[in-house]
Amino acid sequence: MAGDPRIRNFCIVAHIDHGKSTLADRLLEATGTLSDRERRDQFLDKMDLERERGITIKAQTARMPYRAQDGEEYLLNLIDTPGHVDFSYEVSRALQACEGAVLVVDAAQGIEAQTLANAYLAIDAGLEILPVVNKIDLPAADPDRVAQEIEDVVGLDAADVLSVSAKDGRGIDALLERIVAVVPPPRGNPAAELRALIFDSWFDSYVGAVMLVRVVDGSVTAGQRIRMMARGTDREVQELHVLDPHPRKVDCLAAGEVGVVVAGVKTLAEVRVGDTLTDFRQPASEALPGFEDVKPMVFTGLYPVLAENYENLKTALEKLKLNDASLSYEPETSAALGFGFRCGFLGFLHSEIVQERLEREYDLDLIATAPTVRYRVVEKNGRVAEIESPAALPDAADLDRIEEPVILATIHLPPEFVGPVIKLCQERRGTQRDMNHHGSRVQLRYELPLSEVVLDFHDRLKGATRGYGSLDYELQGYRQADLVKLDVMVNADPVDALSLIVHRDKSHQRGTDLARKLKEFIPRQMYEVAIQAAIGTRVIARTTVKALRKNVTAKCYGGDITRKRKLLEKQKEGKRRMKRVGSVEIPQEAFLAALRLDDS
């Protein structure tokens, strides 16, 4: 049974920087949702971070009234989604709340890696796809070639591809008409028991946890008592809002509508993205299919610079987890850094964004350890364990083998850059799967260890292709590799926060680089400081921070040389004693420098 025939729920998906947010701006303007005074670029990108970096991090929604050319009034619910591979989980959640997807492709660059990945996500979700070629105002634009590319690669008819310019507004009216004509109205039974899918949430210091929902069946009204089916908790609906695009209070959300539910949820653990809301008195018999639990791929230790900020960091992570379901964390202790958390992320950019949000939004000073991936360890007694931290690696004598996660990377690039990209993949221990030509682009597929990709592979790929290369990847499984634990010792004391799991072939170079980098940042003491990189008991690299030397013989004017020697021996003995009891403080800059080690 269908919901309201005048409602259209759709999202915009595309590769990063293909113009999704600008297209959303034009749609808001064309439907009269925004007044002239409110207009600004990237209107739906609410975070300062999104504006500064020019990328979408959080999916955002907006409700737009639209009068079609036939005079019929429609209600369009738009969801603008991120394009970067690290935020694909945001895209998959947004797709659950829609019936249609506008697939945007750059008229100059053509199909990129995330274009394909997002298109397949939308097809798997059973959405109606509207292909759109954007940026036709560019001098290098070739919309006909790109439309043919869409047909060849994605399988959508080139004749159905719309050409638009989100910059100057060309083709926007035709796109709105196409959305109304092609995207089906929401499915659902308005007369059935209430079932609403929570597909996003955030924390508000005034009203507690706020839920963004898509009502599938029935309706929800202010004052109604609702139950969260996964948690089994009951709450009374205090307020309902729709975002058009500013929050506007309403009395009811009917089947097919998207809106905000405020239900006085004070504890963050009560709300779970993917949960189903139903009526307390007449609950639905079956919950809606939620979202797959996302598996973190990159792990970093986050520690407060000041130990007394540990509780503040814990609260901040709880609030951020509500807004970002792909974040995971658990408490961790380090001898060097004290109490902190081991956090799991979808990629290196995701970890950077979360760290920056914690520092900006919650006013925290943090130290982050080097990012690692989840390894599978098989011991000689047959026990299998998955570890995310080098500190959790068992003793080498008990180890049978270590297996590392392997990804299948899909790289789209112009033909002239194939050589440098293949060289980069070979350096990162990659195995070529295949190479295909799609129009003016080449698609390379490589099996690569995830640990070789998370740190700076994306930056190096952009450098090797002058910005024209794009990357998407999916986890393939685990593969055995010759991996070792690299420890860093300062004056024979191991610094657990700087330990790494690396391939044996790269251990010497990595150890030398780490020791050299630390030497730059550890301040000189009154005694020599030895910095060593070791595998087990074998030291593979060493450097020394020279001691500061006080001139103890300055007051000796002439006289017997033995007096000067006595003073120098006394100074040497004093330094030896200091070295035995002394503790070297490693500044935060040293950890950051080690984290940003470039292995070029």
Side-chain angles (χ1 to χ4, degrees):
M1 192 169 177
D4 190 330
R6 295 170 302 127
I7 294 177
R8 298 289 183 271
N9 296 319
F10 70 98
C11 59
I12 305 176
V13 294
H15 185 81
I16 191 168
D17 205 29
H18 278 203
K20 293 179 301 301
S21 298
T22 312
L23 182 61
D25 291 343
R26 295 295 85 77
L27 291 173
L28 289 168
E29 287 171 17
T31 54
T33 308
L34 288 180
S35 64
D36 290 342
R37 187 173 55 82
E38 292 174 314
R39 286 181 191 175
R40 57 180 167 82
D41 290 344
Q42 289 177 265
F43 183 85
L44 290 179
D45 289 346
K46 300 286 194 290
M47 279 188 264
D48 291 340
L49 261 177
E50 294 179 308
R51 302 183 155 282
E52 286 166 22
R53 290 177 177 247
I55 59 172
T56 301
I57 295 166
K58 285 292 301 173
Q60 299 289 349
T61 62
R63 174 168 159 146
M64 306 179 294
Y66 176 63
R67 183 186 286 273
Q69 288 174 358
D70 59 5
E72 192 72 41
E73 292 277 354
Y74 290 93
L75 205 57
L76 310 180
N77 284 313
L78 153 72
I79 302 178
D80 179 26
T81 63
H84 197 279
V85 61
D86 282 14
F87 305 111
S88 56
Y89 186 63
E90 283 284 322
V91 181
S92 66
R93 279 164 43 186
L95 296 176
Q96 297 288 331
C98 302
E99 280 76 39
V102 175
L103 179 69
V104 179
V105 185
D106 190 308
Q109 294 187 9
I111 285 184
E112 303 265 19
Q114 277 303 108
T115 313
L116 268 181
N118 289 335
Y120 292 146
L121 278 175
I123 291 166
D124 290 345
L127 269 57
E128 192 66 46
I129 298 177
L130 283 73
V132 168
V133 173
N134 187 25
K135 302 190 183 182
I136 58 171
D137 54 287
L138 292 178
D142 190 349
D144 295 335
R145 173 184 64 79
V146 174
Q148 191 56 47
E149 217 172 277
I150 291 171
E151 181 171 311
D152 296 342
V153 181
V154 186
L156 300 169
D157 194 341
D160 294 336
V161 178
L162 282 175
S163 296
V164 306
S165 168
K167 190 174 181 181
D168 61 25
R170 266 182 285 170
I172 298 298
D173 291 336
L175 174 59
L176 284 165
E177 286 295 318
R178 180 71 66 86
I179 289 166
V180 166
V182 174
V183 176
R187 296 176 290 274
N189 186 352
E193 290 86 10
L194 166 66
R195 289 199 305 169
L197 178 73
I198 304 173
F199 69 95
D200 201 1
S201 58
W202 58 90
F203 188 80
D204 187 296
S205 50
Y206 294 103
V207 296
V210 177
M211 298 167 280
L212 185 62
V213 304
R214 155 73 195 272
V215 181
V216 177
D217 295 323
S219 61
V220 58
T221 55
Q224 183 178 353
R225 195 158 185 83
I226 54 168
R227 169 170 289 172
M228 293 169 220
M229 294 183 80
R231 299 292 187 200
T233 50
D234 307 327
R235 285 283 179 268
E236 187 175 305
V237 177
Q238 295 173 345
E239 290 179 7
L240 296 171
H241 298 267
V242 291
L243 301 168
D244 55 5
H246 306 292
R248 176 169 62 84
K249 199 180 283 192
V250 292
D251 295 325
C252 175
L253 287 175
E257 291 193 285
V258 174
V260 172
V261 176
V262 178
V265 180
K266 294 291 183 283
T267 58
L268 301 168
E270 282 183 53
V271 176
R272 187 177 140 209
V273 171
D275 199 353
T276 302
L277 296 183
T278 189
D279 186 67
F280 171 68
R281 290 174 190 82
Q282 290 180 300
S285 55
E286 193 180 336
L288 294 163
F291 308 113
E292 286 182 31
D293 280 338
V294 67
K295 285 191 167 59
M297 299 177 89
V298 178
F299 298 86
T300 297
L302 290 182
Y303 297 84
V305 172
L306 300 173
E308 58 263 32
N309 280 339
Y310 174 77
E311 285 299 324
N312 295 346
L313 174 58
K314 184 181 178 185
T315 308
L317 282 167
E318 282 178 5
K319 290 179 179 176
L320 209 55
K321 166 82 176 166
L322 190 68
N323 190 229
D324 184 354
S326 55
L327 170 68
S328 67
Y329 62 93
E330 56 185 39
E332 181 181 65
T333 312
S334 158
L337 300 174
F339 293 102
F341 292 90
R342 170 124 314 236
C343 301
F345 308 99
L346 295 180
F348 191 56
L349 176 68
H350 186 208
S351 77
E352 269 189 356
I353 294 293
V354 167
Q355 192 181 336
E356 212 162 325
R357 286 185 71 184
L358 286 169
E359 289 177 345
R360 285 187 185 201
E361 296 172 25
Y362 302 97
D363 201 23
L364 293 164
D365 284 328
L366 301 173
I367 295 175
T369 62
T372 61
V373 297
R374 180 178 273 151
Y375 295 95
R376 187 177 286 163
V377 173
V378 182
E379 296 183 36
K380 286 178 178 170
N381 60 11
R383 195 173 77 88
V384 179
E386 290 191 346
I387 61 161
E388 294 127 23
S389 163
L393 194 66
D395 193 76
D398 302 326
L399 269 181
D400 179 46
R401 65 182 186 273
I402 305 175
E403 297 175 353
E404 63 181 348
V406 176
I407 59 162
L408 179 62
T410 305
I411 302 165
H412 285 249
L413 69 159
E416 60 266 30
F417 301 120
V418 167
V421 171
I422 287 178
K423 183 170 179 282
L424 172 65
C425 292
Q426 302 288 21
E427 284 172 6
R428 299 303 175 93
R429 301 189 283 124
T431 307
Q432 188 173 326
R433 180 75 75 82
D434 56 39
M435 181 165 71
N436 295 303
H437 288 260
H438 297 306
S440 62
R441 308 280 285 179
V442 173
Q443 178 186 287
L444 262 179
R445 293 202 305 162
Y446 258 87
E447 282 186 3
L448 287 156
L450 179 61
S451 58
E452 299 282 357
V453 173
V454 293
L455 199 55
D456 66 342
F457 185 84
H458 198 259
D459 295 341
R460 297 282 296 279
L461 174 67
K462 288 291 181 189
T465 60
R466 295 185 194 162
Y468 288 110
S470 63
L471 169 74
D472 178 48
Y473 57 80
E474 57 183 276
L475 200 61
Q476 290 287 289
Y478 284 82
R479 189 166 64 194
Q480 185 179 347
D482 188 10
L483 300 170
V484 291
K485 183 185 175 190
L486 181 69
D487 288 311
V488 175
M489 296 183 290
V490 176
N491 268 359
D493 292 330
V495 184
D496 56 353
L498 292 177
S499 295
L500 297 167
I501 296 174
V502 294
H503 195 272
R504 194 182 296 276
D505 294 348
K506 294 192 172 186
S507 59
H508 182 267
Q509 183 63 47
R510 197 67 194 250
T512 307
D513 290 347
L514 261 174
R516 176 177 48 78
K517 208 72 173 164
L518 285 175
K519 183 181 177 181
E520 292 175 24
F521 288 92
I522 291 178
R524 290 172 73 185
Q525 313 289 322
M526 294 303 293
Y527 50 88
E528 275 192 355
V529 177
I531 303 168
Q532 297 169 308
I535 297 171
T537 55
R538 187 166 67 89
V539 175
I540 60 167
R542 175 191 165 122
T543 186
T544 306
V545 179
K546 294 290 183 197
L548 286 169
R549 186 165 182 267
K550 182 184 174 186
N551 189 359
V552 290
T553 62
K555 292 180 182 177
C556 296
Y557 299 107
D560 192 358
I561 189 68
T562 55
R563 188 174 168 223
K564 288 186 178 180
R565 281 195 184 136
K566 247 183 215 172
L567 286 167
L568 289 168
E569 286 298 325
K570 193 176 174 185
Q571 182 190 41
K572 200 183 280 185
E573 178 54 37
K575 286 191 176 186
R576 267 200 292 271
R577 203 162 50 247
M578 284 171 72
K579 194 171 183 176
R580 279 198 295 274
V581 298
S583 170
V584 182
E585 191 171 308
I586 302 172
Q588 184 183 352
E589 294 79 41
F591 288 102
L592 296 176
L595 171 63
R596 286 177 170 77
L597 251 188
D598 186 26
D599 57 355
S600 53

